[in-house]
Amino acid sequence: MDSQTSPSSQASPSPHTFQVDLRGLVDLLSHHLYSSPRVYLRELLQNAVDAITARRAEEPGAPARVRLSASGGELRVEDSGVGLTESDLHTLLATIGRSSKRADGLQEARSDFLGQFGIGLLACFVVAERIRVVSRSSRTPGAPPVEWTARDDGSYTVRTLPHEERPEPGTTVHLVARAGAAEWLTEQRVLQLARDFGSLLPYDVKVGEEPVTDLPAPWDRPYASPANRRVALARHCHELFGFTPLDSVELTVPLAGIRGVAYVLPAAVSPAQRAGHRVHLKGMLLTDRAEQLLPDWAFFVRCVLDTDSLRPTASRESLYEDETLAAVREALGERIRAWLTGLAAGDPERLAAFLAVHHLGVKSLARHDKEMLRTMLPWLPFETTDGRLSLEEFAQRHPVVHFTRTVEEYRQVAPIASAQGVGVINGGYTYDSELVEALPSVRPGTVVAELDADTVTAHLDAVDAAEELALSGFLAAARAKLDPLGCDVVLRAFHPLSVPALHLDDRAARHEQARADAESQADDLWAGILGSLRGSAPRARLVLNHLNPLIRRISSLRDAELIGTATESLYGQALLMAQRPLRPADSALLNRAFIGLLEWATHGEATPEEDGRR
């Protein structure tokens, strides 16, 4: 093989230029980058505002005006910005992806501009078939006005105009609607979009004679009193989000260049529901669906704010997840924490009104924030055997804070525990058991214990051994009846007397019962596997109340079949009282017991038909 390379192989291949199908690119933008054609107006406003910002960087006293007018399927947008030369038109408007913010020494000042991605007028082809730009540069005073006209087929023309066509620096953009898009260029739609996107822009913007900007922002305006401020912000929230807030929280983070307000929702929402916040970037609306702006626990507020530090994504319709956004999220969370702490310290009535609606959100925060848990201890409501109390009140009443992990367990034990003087907290609701277990960390010396079936049974009085021995036949018949259901029978004496029987189990017992049910329905292979998993977990218990008159009468029965029917009835009634879901076997038992009791109650009464047969 020849080790030398031929001259022809050393020659560099000639470069080729990408061919861009403009219609295909516009289709890509409209269907995949932008959420709606409405963003075309944001792009026009953005270009106008950036042009004014560029001119004012060189001429601080330059005019700052943007005027829009729409009629007959056409739109005209004029600004008093820096303008363009013929060279700029070729370089900037006709090159996909090129940004004017990279040119002419303006790279250092890019933080002052809204646009960062150089897409520019391309987005206007989403609604327009033709774009005409007339511009005159303020940087080259002697340069004549120039015109750039482009069509959606990818072609464009450039020509020089007489000076009188545009005597002052700036740019005018003319759009002609494409088929089916004329509605986006009506005056009413343009005014609505301009106000939505540009209400906080720092320059004079009008659609016809209608002002677009509304400065200063509602949260930055002076008010005669705090009450007046609350009323004004509530009105702003209703106009913006459609609800009247419970309260408003000022969101000011000077180091991050953030000013805004959070509005507290008047009704409870699911923690899983993602909030949509409105974010303005240097006055221009970036998105009204920012989801990652606040910590997850702050799902009870809706925010509107203006920032100059957060980074937009390529579509400029959401925020880029980076370290800056993470820091801002934490800082805004701190503002909401401070607001809650302030309510707890100085306005308990408003705090109570807030917690009545949004206690779940505060509990979510308190799980991870010991300081917040300590602050909220006197206020957060919990369901207890003493009524609806805070953890602080409950811990003051009871030396041991007992709790259950599920609502079902609480319903089983609450009436009995209360009668025995044992205080119990229902920890079955979202976050509650976690907060109860965290109580000793913020209230040293507090004893917290999970309440299970064994603990409840231990608090019930044992029956005299001689009396229990005398009832051994009855207990044996009752146990034999419930043994197939995985339930033991225990005799105790407890209050209230009106409760004849109590069904007690715990998670381990329910797990073992579920395993046994699955084993009974499985084939030989799975039955063997499930059988090998059989544990020594305690079984459920039906605790009969020896003090109850009905139990005393049933225990004196001599008919084993009737004892069995009565036991099944007591078991079913105890399940219903505990509001436990019934298995098919439990439902069948209830039906069987009901029919059995009816037969026993009517066995001495003969019907006329039966008398006739006799």
Side-chain angles (χ1 to χ4, degrees), residues 221-486:
R221 296 171 190 169
Y223 296 97
S225 67
N228 288 349
R229 176 182 174 83
R230 261 198 306 272
V231 170
L233 290 178
R235 187 183 307 115
H236 176 248
C237 176
H238 193 273
E239 293 171 354
L240 205 60
F241 294 115
F243 65 85
T244 301
L246 283 178
D247 205 348
S248 56
V249 185
E250 186 173 347
L251 300 178
T252 304
V253 187
L255 291 179
I258 285 178
R259 292 282 300 167
V261 62
Y263 293 116
V264 182
L265 292 166
V269 294
S270 167
Q273 181 176 329
R274 304 298 295 178
H277 307 295
R278 288 178 66 92
V279 178
H280 295 257
L281 181 61
K282 304 180 185 72
M284 181 74 75
L285 178 67
L286 180 70
T287 178
D288 57 5
R289 297 188 301 274
E291 296 182 349
Q292 69 273 46
L293 187 64
L294 294 180
D296 290 340
W297 55 261
F299 55 83
F300 49 82
V301 298
R302 295 292 180 272
C303 295
V304 53
L305 55 83
D306 189 24
T307 176
D308 59 15
S309 63
L310 297 179
R311 179 182 169 193
T313 58
S315 66
R316 292 192 286 282
E317 295 188 278
S318 59
L319 297 171
Y320 190 83
E321 185 68 50
D322 57 12
E323 293 181 359
T324 302
L325 179 57
V328 165
R329 183 162 47 234
E330 183 175 347
L332 295 180
E334 286 297 331
R335 296 297 182 273
I336 298 175
R337 281 190 185 93
W339 168 74
L340 284 170
T341 303
L343 288 186
D347 201 339
E349 289 186 5
R350 283 169 66 199
L351 178 64
F354 166 75
L355 289 178
V357 178
H358 295 299
H359 57 274
L360 196 61
V362 180
K363 286 180 177 181
S364 174
L365 168 59
R367 286 185 307 152
H368 307 293
D369 190 325
K370 289 184 179 179
E371 203 53 47
M372 183 54 62
L373 177 58
R374 185 179 289 108
T375 301
M376 290 292 116
L377 271 181
W379 308 103
L380 286 175
F382 288 77
E383 183 181 356
T384 78
T385 49
D386 293 353
R388 200 158 181 81
L389 298 176
S390 70
L391 288 180
E392 180 69 26
E393 291 176 287
F394 189 86
Q396 290 173 355
R397 296 186 184 187
H398 299 279
V400 178
V401 177
H402 288 101
F403 74 97
T404 63
R405 290 194 182 276
T406 68
V407 175
E408 289 79 8
E409 290 172 352
Y410 177 79
R411 287 170 178 166
Q412 288 181 64
V413 303
I416 308 305
S418 180
Q420 307 304 313
V422 178
V424 185
I425 295 175
N426 183 356
Y429 297 115
T430 307
Y431 309 134
D432 283 8
S433 60
E434 295 175 71
L435 293 175
V436 174
E437 289 182 297
L439 189 55
S441 67
V442 296
R443 197 178 188 275
T446 303
V447 179
V448 173
E450 183 176 353
L451 189 67
D452 55 20
D454 289 334
T455 305
V456 176
T457 305
H459 278 83
L460 305 180
D461 295 333
V463 177
D464 181 77
E467 291 188 59
E468 187 165 1
L469 183 62
L471 298 175
S472 59
F474 159 72
L475 291 175
R479 286 165 182 155
K481 197 67 175 178
L482 296 187
D483 184 68
L485 297 173

Side-chain angles (χ1 to χ4, degrees), residues 46-96:
Q46 176 177 285
N47 286 344
V49 169
D50 283 346
I52 294 172
T53 301
R55 184 176 180 186
R56 283 203 156 187
E58 302 170 353
E59 303 175 49
R65 297 186 308 272
V66 181
R67 296 291 181 265
L68 300 91
S69 59
S71 64
E74 296 187 12
L75 174 65
R76 181 174 179 269
V77 181
E78 182 175 5
D79 67 68
S80 58
V82 69
L84 300 170
T85 64
E86 182 176 353
S87 175
D88 294 333
L89 290 176
H90 288 288
T91 304
L92 303 176
L93 299 189
T95 305
I96 304 302

Side-chain angles (χ1 to χ4, degrees), residues 122-202:
L122 189 60
C124 294
F125 280 118
V126 173
V127 298
E129 67 175 13
R130 183 163 59 90
I131 302 175
R132 177 172 172 258
V133 178
V134 176
S135 187
R136 182 167 186 167
S137 174
S138 65
R139 294 178 183 154
T140 313
V146 289
E147 177 193 71
W148 179 86
T149 304
R151 296 184 175 276
D152 61 2
D153 61 3
S155 64
Y156 74 94
T157 59
V158 175
R159 66 185 179 121
T160 301
L161 301 177
H163 285 274
E164 57 269 18
E165 287 283 335
R166 185 171 184 97
E168 298 295 329
T171 300
T172 303
V173 180
H174 302 263
L175 300 187
V176 177
R178 67 191 304 173
E183 63 169 309
W184 293 103
L185 302 186
T186 62
E187 184 173 22
Q188 184 177 2
R189 178 61 68 91
V190 169
L191 178 60
Q192 178 246 319
L193 292 177
R195 284 178 171 169
D196 198 32
F197 283 119
S199 62
L200 300 184
L201 289 175

